[in-house]
Amino acid sequence: LCLFLLKLYFRARLQCWPNSIEYDTQRALNHQALGVIMSAFLSVTIRVKDQEKLKNYKSAINDFSKAITTNNDFDDYGLISIMYHRFNESKYPSTNIQLNVFKDQLKIIEKEGIKFIHPKEFEFSISQQKNDRKILLTVDDGLLSFYENAWPILKKEKIPFILFVSTREVGSFNYMNWDQIREISQSELAEIGNHSHSHEYLVDESSEEIKKDLQKSIKIFEDKLGKNSEFFSYPFGEYSLEFKKLIKELGFKYAFGQHSGVIDETKDVL
């Protein structure tokens, strides 16, 4: 089991501005063992090609569920935020999750009594619900496979989430269009977050180029959705001090990167 866990590739989101804080994994394991290991398991993408592998996968799920069942209590469980991209697009294994695996993950969360947090409850859940085990689902890029495959499941199960959209790609091949995005935005379950305009590797760009890109995405959000979001997701999950400064100056309240660990009250969210 230990070897299995070590091999898991997990990408729990960590809110990271205005201070550049990367949560230490060992500290997280000591302080939030149950939550962090859970995030490791939930974030892994597994391609199940046949029934035998599916059987083995389900066996691993059962073993893992037993392993994380514990009576241990923590003063603060923090919040795990899980990132997805593509659903049932086996052509892109690095960012894809098969739908049966996604469904199994949701079942594990429900079985373990872990609460799905609505984006509107983000800050409250961190400061006032410390004893609750909780998860925030996020989906990057606004790909069509999310709309066709995952959105119906989340809608049926009434699971809240953030959908981060890069405005340049909207309506392009394999991406959602604005009508589909507006449909989701009108749901009480969803927050449409800003993911920049170009989704380029903006860390390497000048401050002027970064600001220009962000201002363009904000204007499109306002034109198409009536407002910009308080939530931002860094393209490729990476940022610089100048990038974070611009995010704050442009009115974003929360920004997400790609890190290991949990979000808790020690992180500056303002």
Side-chain angles (χ1 to χ4, degrees), residues 32 74-80 113-136 160 263-265:
Q32 306 275 6
F74 298 100
D75 293 333
D76 186 355
Y77 279 100
L79 170 68
I80 299 167
I114 300 174
K115 180 181 178 182
F116 290 104
I117 293 297
H118 194 286
K120 292 179 180 178
E121 302 173 344
F122 178 74
E123 196 166 332
F124 177 81
S125 71
I126 295 171
S127 62
Q128 303 297 322
Q129 298 177 329
K130 297 180 180 181
N131 293 325
D132 294 341
R133 299 165 65 198
K134 46 198 178 290
I135 281 178
L136 172 64
I263 309 168
D264 62 27
E265 205 172 20

Side-chain angles (χ1 to χ4, degrees), residues 185-236:
S185 72
Q186 292 166 4
S187 165
E188 295 181 355
L189 298 171
E191 169 74 21
I192 308 300
N194 194 314
H195 199 26
S196 81
H197 175 64
S198 66
H199 202 295
E200 299 292 347
Y201 190 66
L202 295 176
V203 173
D204 286 345
E205 301 294 339
S206 66
S207 297
E208 291 77 12
E209 287 300 316
I210 296 174
K211 187 172 184 178
K212 181 179 177 181
D213 187 285
L214 298 177
Q215 286 177 327
K216 190 166 187 177
S217 70
I218 291 171
K219 185 178 187 307
I220 294 174
F221 260 72
E222 292 172 343
D223 290 344
K224 299 295 185 179
L225 300 177
K227 65 175 183 177
N228 186 39
S229 177
E230 293 181 327
F231 291 84
F232 183 80
S233 172
Y234 293 105
F236 301 96

Side-chain angles (χ1 to χ4, degrees), residues 47-63:
R47 299 177 66 185
V48 180
K49 294 183 179 180
D50 52 51
Q51 290 301 313
E52 184 61 31
K53 288 186 178 180
L54 178 59
K55 181 179 178 181
N56 293 338
Y57 169 69
K58 288 185 175 179
S59 176
I61 286 178
N62 292 332
D63 290 343

Side-chain angles (χ1 to χ4, degrees), residues 151-163:
W151 166 231
I153 295 171
L154 297 178
K155 180 167 55 175
K156 179 181 177 182
E157 300 298 329
K158 295 181 171 56
I159 297 174
F161 61 93
I162 303 176
L163 173 65

Side-chain angles (χ1 to χ4, degrees), residues 14 16 22 33 35 38 68 97 111 134 162 164-165 169 185 188 190-191 201 204 256 260 264:
L14 174 66
C16 52
E22 185 163 336
M38 190 68 182
I68 65 171
I97 184 166
K111 179 181 178 182
K134 46 198 178 290
I162 303 176
F164 286 107
V165 173
E169 309 306 331
S185 72
E188 295 181 355
E191 169 74 21
Y201 190 66
D204 286 345
F256 290 77
S260 303
D264 62 27

Side-chain angles (χ1 to χ4, degrees), residues 7-193:
K7 289 181 178 179
L8 292 174
Y9 174 68
F10 68 99
R11 298 173 295 178
R13 288 191 182 277
L14 174 66
Q15 182 174 355
C16 52
W17 72 262
N19 295 322
S20 178
I21 303 172
E22 185 163 336
Y23 201 88
D24 180 76
T25 304
Q26 187 57 51
R27 179 190 166 204
L29 286 170
N30 291 338
H31 179 58
Q32 306 275 6
L34 187 61
V36 173
I37 295 174
M38 190 68 182
S39 79
F41 181 71
L42 292 173
S43 299
V44 68
T45 300
I46 301 175
R47 299 177 66 185
V48 180
K49 294 183 179 180
D50 52 51
Q51 290 301 313
E52 184 61 31
K53 288 186 178 180
L54 178 59
K55 181 179 178 181
N56 293 338
Y57 169 69
K58 288 185 175 179
S59 176
I61 286 178
N62 292 332
D63 290 343
F64 183 82
S65 295
K66 293 176 183 178
I68 65 171
T69 300
T70 177
N71 294 320
N72 290 341
D73 292 322
F74 298 100
D75 293 333
D76 186 355
Y77 279 100
L79 170 68
I80 299 167
S81 183
I82 306 176
M83 171 179 55
Y84 296 97
H85 289 82
R86 302 174 184 271
F87 297 81
N88 258 15
E89 291 192 80
S90 300
K91 184 179 178 181
Y92 308 96
S94 65
T95 54
N96 176 62
I97 184 166
Q98 292 302 107
L99 209 57
N100 57 340
V101 179
F102 180 61
K103 290 177 180 178
D104 281 342
Q105 291 179 351
L106 297 181
K107 288 178 183 177
I108 292 174
I109 295 171
E110 180 181 5
K111 179 181 178 182
E112 291 300 319
I114 300 174
K115 180 181 178 182
F116 290 104
I117 293 297
H118 194 286
K120 292 179 180 178
E121 302 173 344
F122 178 74
E123 196 166 332
F124 177 81
S125 71
I126 295 171
S127 62
Q128 303 297 322
Q129 298 177 329
K130 297 180 180 181
N131 293 325
D132 294 341
R133 299 165 65 198
K134 46 198 178 290
I135 281 178
L136 172 64
L137 295 189
T138 71
V139 182
D140 278 5
D141 299 344
L143 290 152
L144 190 60
S145 66
F146 166 75
Y147 181 80
E148 293 178 340
N149 299 317
W151 166 231
I153 295 171
L154 297 178
K155 180 167 55 175
K156 179 181 177 182
E157 300 298 329
K158 295 181 171 56
I159 297 174
F161 61 93
I162 303 176
L163 173 65
F164 286 107
V165 173
S166 298
T167 52
R168 185 183 70 182
E169 309 306 331
V170 176
S172 301
F173 176 73
N174 223 24
Y175 285 85
M176 295 168 58
N177 60 42
W178 281 113
D179 286 339
Q180 293 165 333
I181 293 171
R182 274 190 290 268
E183 174 193 328
I184 292 176
S185 72
Q186 292 166 4
S187 165
E188 295 181 355
L189 298 171
E191 169 74 21
I192 308 300

